[in-house]
Amino acid sequence: MARPALEVADIFRGHGPAWRRANAGHVSLGQLKVMSAIERCRTAALGGHVARCEKCEHIDIAYNSCRNRHCPKCQGAAARAWLADREAELLPVAYYHVVFTLPAPIADIAYQNKAAIYAILFKAAAETLITIAADPKHLGARIGLTAVLHTWGSALTHHPHVHCIVPGGGLSPDGERWISCRPGFFLPVRVLSRLFRRLVLAQLTAAHEAGRLHFFGDHAPLAQRHAFAAYLAPLRKVEWVVYAKRPFAGPEAVLAYLSRYTHRVAIANSRLLAVDDNSVTFRWKDYRAKGRERQKVMTLASGEFIRRFLIHVLPSGFHRIRHYGLFANGGRAENLARARDLLGVPTPQDEPRDANADEPLTHSPPCPCCGGRMIIIETFDRGSTPRTRLLSPITIDTS
């Protein structure tokens, strides 16, 4: 894969040191670690290996990746491994896509309370879907869902929302039948929206009373119980955004969607257009516009671009992909087996394990010159350079 002309790493290397000095004391350790990982990714700082073609003796130098979940270059392998597991779990039914979004006033305080409020968003969205689906007036079934957290808008603004992927049906309460939803319709959006609103506000109030929320700057007065209640009061009277997209066109479309969304970061390198001494220019999508007018170009001061990227760094250990209901980790295998039995479809067979799976890597992708086999002839440590004598032009792999 060709290296993009411009990468987030280039921006961090060029503008990061000055930005860190200017914002010393206001950048978290987690954000600093992300910057460092992205700057060092696919460079000699992380070590790598040298591979030589058996036929033409072409040599490649490949540097190691940082594997940070916020790095635009390191999500491909993780996404492929995760998708392989999900492919084995897909059921032969329609799948639906429901998006739950926090209102702007809650998004504002979520930035200061990421772990607590993002967890509330996850829990309230899942509980909303599971509760309404279990209601006999709607579906009357026990469902499963996968939820993925995104915290950004296309312009890198703070916009927390979860994408939920849900099969169009579930197990009957006694587990003896598979109950399907109506074709093309899963659950009523307005009902979902109002329960979601009630659950989020109740959980926020409980978190505040338990002392799990913290407020700084302009929001410092919200530490007082009455001030926080007054802050939430207007949100009880407005409609919250719950968006149900069209059902997916088969399980393959579910996988295609997941491959694009599960391991995304705030901005892909492919959206970057230009960087200079003062600014960064990138493509973004304005969802308020229609058609071709949605695609727009934005230029931000380099410091503002870095700030916007880093507000999407998640708390350490926070899981941004979660499974609920029938798909919860504890009973997922048993529930999927029961669903397949009721749907009359065979259980996928596990792929036979490769006998060499635990063997050290001994070769790379085919030679870019002649297609021959590339053999790894040397590995080198972090901060080191390869000792191999370069007898031919080399390719440095930074893809």
Side-chain angles (χ1 to χ4, degrees):
M1 182 183 296
R3 182 186 187 275
L6 179 62
E7 298 181 347
V8 171
D10 299 322
I11 299 167
F12 281 6
R13 293 184 196 117
H15 296 280
W19 187 85
R20 285 189 288 265
R21 288 193 298 270
N23 292 276
H26 301 282
V27 187
S28 71
L29 178 61
Q31 292 171 327
L32 291 173
K33 286 182 175 180
V34 168
M35 290 189 75
S36 176
I38 292 175
E39 289 170 6
R40 293 152 58 90
C41 187
R42 309 288 173 89
T43 71
L46 298 183
H49 66 263
V50 181
R52 184 177 62 202
C53 177
E54 288 183 316
K55 293 183 179 180
C56 69
E57 296 191 351
H58 172 83
I59 290 179
D60 276 352
I61 298 179
Y63 296 124
N64 292 333
S65 61
C66 67
R67 299 187 180 182
N68 190 287
R69 61 175 171 168
H70 301 94
C71 176
K73 290 191 291 191
C74 288
Q75 304 311 303
R80 287 191 293 272
W82 189 85
L83 284 171
D85 294 337
R86 302 290 81 75
E87 185 174 15
E89 298 170 356
L90 283 175
L91 298 172
V93 300
Y95 277 76
Y96 291 80
H97 178 192
V98 185
V99 183
F100 293 84
T101 302
L102 288 178
I106 297 179
D108 287 345
I109 62 173
Y111 178 65
Q112 298 180 350
N113 299 273
K114 288 183 178 180
I117 295 183
Y118 292 168
I120 287 172
L121 170 59
F122 265 122
K123 183 178 179 181
E127 187 175 343
T128 295
L129 286 168
I130 290 171
T131 300
I132 301 303
D135 189 336
K137 293 187 297 183
H138 299 293
L139 186 60
R142 293 187 295 128
I143 64 169
L145 64 111
T146 295
V148 181
L149 172 69
H150 283 182
T151 63
W152 55 83
S154 186
L156 297 181
T157 51
H158 191 228
H159 179 62
H161 56 286
V162 290
H163 297 258
C164 298
I165 311 301
V166 197
L171 298 179
S172 61
D174 59 8
E176 297 300 317
R177 293 180 298 120
W178 176 266
I179 301 175
S180 296
C181 65
R182 301 203 311 264
F185 179 83
F186 182 49
L187 294 170
V189 170
R190 178 165 292 187
V191 175
L192 293 173
S193 174
R194 292 181 177 177
L195 178 57
F196 176 63
R197 178 180 63 188
R198 179 165 63 83
L199 291 174
V200 170
L201 293 175
Q203 291 175 33
L204 281 173
T205 300
H208 189 277
E209 292 177 352
R212 298 200 304 272
L213 301 182
H214 307 281
F215 305 97
F216 309 94
D218 293 343
H219 291 304
L222 297 182
Q224 301 299 318
R225 181 177 179 180
H226 295 299
F228 188 67
Y231 185 80
L232 297 183
L235 298 174
R236 301 179 187 278
K237 303 174 183 179
V238 297
E239 294 293 335
W240 287 30
V241 178
V242 176
Y243 177 48
K245 295 190 175 184
R246 292 179 299 176
F248 292 102
E252 295 79 8
V254 177
L255 285 178
Y257 172 83
L258 289 174
S259 69
R260 296 193 303 270
Y261 271 75
T262 52
H263 291 73
R264 267 190 177 179
V265 298
I267 187 168
N269 287 329
S270 58
R271 287 174 54 199
L272 300 175
L273 298 176
V275 61
D276 58 29
D277 292 341
N278 302 304
S279 62
V280 179
T281 301
F282 61 95
R283 289 193 300 270
W284 71 291
K285 188 179 292 185
D286 183 356
Y287 288 97
R288 295 170 297 182
K290 295 182 179 180
R292 294 181 179 178
E293 293 181 0
R294 279 191 170 185
Q295 299 295 332
K296 297 183 178 181
V297 172
M298 178 177 292
T299 297
L300 295 176
S302 56
E304 175 62 9
F305 177 89
I306 294 174
R307 186 196 73 82
R308 289 195 190 189
F309 185 95
L310 293 178
I311 65 177
H312 305 294
V313 171
L314 295 175
S316 178
F318 190 89
H319 295 283
R320 62 183 298 267
I321 305 174
R322 303 188 183 189
H323 309 279
Y324 296 92
L326 299 181
F327 297 164
N329 291 334
R332 180 163 56 214
E334 180 181 348
N335 291 330
L336 285 169
R338 182 57 179 160
R340 289 192 183 97
D341 183 53
L342 294 173
L343 290 166
V345 295
T347 299
Q349 297 298 314
D350 291 335
E351 292 292 330
R353 178 174 171 78
D354 183 353
N356 298 318
D358 294 325
E359 293 297 317
L361 180 66
T362 58
H363 65 278
S364 296
C367 174
C369 296
C370 68
R373 186 184 185 199
M374 299 290 290
I375 304 297
I376 292 179
I377 59 174
E378 179 192 344
T379 60
F380 52 96
D381 296 331
R382 292 169 177 258
S384 301
T385 56
R387 297 183 304 274
T388 301
R389 184 181 178 187
L390 302 180
L391 300 176
S392 65
I394 65 169
T395 299
I396 297 179
D397 179 10
T398 60
S399 61

